[in-house]
Amino acid sequence: MIFLYNAEPEHADTWRALLAAQVPDLEFVEGFEAVDPARVTYLLTWKAVADIERYTSLRVLFAAGAGVDQFDLSRIPESVALVRMVDDSLADIMAEFVVMSALALHREMPAYRVAQASQVWESLSILPASSSRVGVMGLGQLGQACLAQLRHLKFQLLGWNRSERNIDGVKTYTGPDELGSFLSQCDILVNLLPLTDSTRGILNRETLTQLPKGAGLINVGRGEHVVEADLVAALDAGQVSAAILDVFQQEPLPEGHPLWSHPRVWVTPHIASTMQVEGGAAVVAKNILRDLAGDELLHTVDRQAGY
């Protein structure tokens, strides 16, 4: 029973120790080249597996993150369960980033950074958080964790999701027909959607125009959710006042890309949330034990939905 680890090399020894303590019979192997694919039972990887058909004994493919858009779901055999990384610590860290970003936009920190660069000393109006409407697109574990923390700051909260969600203290909207109504009320928009064919490019010229003029954007979903040229145009026109972007269509963001130098854009290198080793290992071990016991796995991907 081999567990093949293909994630951050610097964390391999910690993963090895944590899994050994919880699943003693599990043989831990690091790297694709270190083992005969036909002997692998469980696989943890960031990247898609080009020759997955060679993994004839594979039972569970663990994504080393919350998203699975890096995998071609049509190539993964039906006999292999694809499992997302769902961990409270990952959600908590994401909520920290979103709260920080929402407060930065609410208190107009990007505008103050522009003023600082020009050595301009000028105060802007200060409004209470309760006067600002924050909308979250994507109401899964990460989205709900962010909303729970934003609630403490007394923001007015909205949420949009493909399927219906009912969340205390959040005005929710469902499906394409209600997207425009949702967007029209978002002073700050947070994107946490999974990347699917239906959400790719969802933040474009048309949808950005549906936001209140001067709205702020936080993208911590995937870069492909945003049509970047349309966002730059919306920023230049003042339709979007500022954007805090952690994900991009191409990563690393290419040298000379206009988002690097736009005065009202903050760029971070896909660090809003990362898998925490202790929590991740606990989730993986739990699912392996469930698999060995013949129980239903947690957090499996719905291949039709794509997440």
Side-chain angles (χ1 to χ4, degrees):
M1 186 171 61
I2 291 179
F3 178 88
L4 177 57
Y5 176 87
N6 186 57
E8 301 100 333
E10 64 272 23
H11 297 316
D13 288 343
T14 305
W15 270 91
R16 186 192 311 271
L18 290 169
L19 289 179
Q22 298 173 77
V23 193
D25 295 333
L26 193 66
E27 181 181 350
F28 185 99
V29 177
E30 181 185 0
F32 287 124
E33 300 79 13
V35 66
D36 177 1
R39 298 181 59 222
V40 174
T41 313
Y42 304 104
L43 168 61
L44 172 75
T45 182
W46 284 107
K47 298 179 180 179
V49 185
D51 54 353
I52 195 167
E53 64 277 357
R54 297 175 59 206
Y55 292 77
T56 54
S57 299
L58 186 63
R59 294 179 57 81
V60 185
L61 174 58
F62 292 100
V68 295
D69 50 277
Q70 68 272 40
F71 298 107
D72 182 348
L73 303 186
S74 68
R75 296 197 59 222
I76 300 173
E78 291 293 334
S79 59
V80 177
L82 176 59
V83 174
R84 298 184 299 115
M85 185 62 65
V86 177
D87 172 36
D88 288 344
S89 61
L90 187 149
D92 291 343
I93 291 170
M94 178 63 79
E96 291 174 2
F97 186 94
V98 168
V99 168
M100 173 197 71
S101 300
L103 284 172
L105 292 174
H106 172 65
R107 293 298 301 268
E108 301 194 70
M109 290 300 109
Y112 283 118
R113 287 288 294 166
V114 172
Q116 179 180 339
S118 301
Q119 300 185 41
V120 172
W121 184 279
E122 182 180 1
S123 62
L124 301 174
S125 299
I126 297 176
L127 298 173
S130 60
S131 69
S132 188
R133 301 165 295 180
V134 179
V136 174
M137 301 177 76
L139 302 179
Q141 186 206 24
L142 298 182
Q144 292 191 43
C146 293
L147 286 164
Q149 294 304 317
L150 290 165
R151 185 180 296 115
H152 294 309
L153 298 170
K154 301 182 181 180
F155 284 111
Q156 299 176 50
L157 300 177
L158 305 92
W160 182 84
N161 205 60
R162 173 182 173 180
S163 55
E164 187 174 354
R165 292 281 194 277
N166 292 307
I167 305 170
D168 288 343
V170 180
K171 187 176 182 181
T172 57
Y173 297 80
T174 306
D177 292 344
E178 297 185 358
L179 179 58
S181 295
F182 163 77
L183 291 172
S184 69
Q185 300 174 72
C186 295
D187 300 312
I188 298 171
L189 177 63
V190 182
N191 175 47
L192 269 163
L193 290 169
L195 182 63
T196 66
D197 289 342
S198 63
T199 64
R200 194 180 307 275
I202 194 169
L203 296 176
N204 53 47
R205 184 184 306 274
E206 179 183 356
T207 51
L208 292 172
T209 301
Q210 292 174 316
L211 294 167
K213 188 172 179 63
L217 173 65
I218 302 165
N219 189 21
V220 285
R222 287 291 186 265
E224 292 90 338
H225 285 131
V226 177
V227 179
E228 291 175 349
D230 291 354
L231 173 58
V232 171
L235 286 160
D236 289 343
Q239 173 61 25
V240 174
S241 63
I244 297 178
L245 308 174
D246 186 59
V247 289
F248 304 89
Q249 292 179 6
Q250 181 179 338
E251 296 179 2
L253 188 63
E255 183 178 353
H257 194 288
L259 290 174
W260 274 122
S261 56
H262 200 287
R264 287 179 286 118
V265 172
W266 289 5
V267 169
T268 54
H270 205 145
I271 49 77
S273 184
T274 59
M275 179 177 62
Q276 301 302 293
V277 177
E278 290 78 7
V283 169
V284 167
K286 185 175 183 178
N287 255 335
I288 290 175
L289 292 172
R290 291 178 71 90
D291 181 60
L292 294 174
D295 295 333
E296 184 178 356
L297 299 180
L298 305 173
H299 316 307
T300 55
V301 171
D302 180 336
R303 300 195 191 198
Q304 292 300 316
Y307 55 90

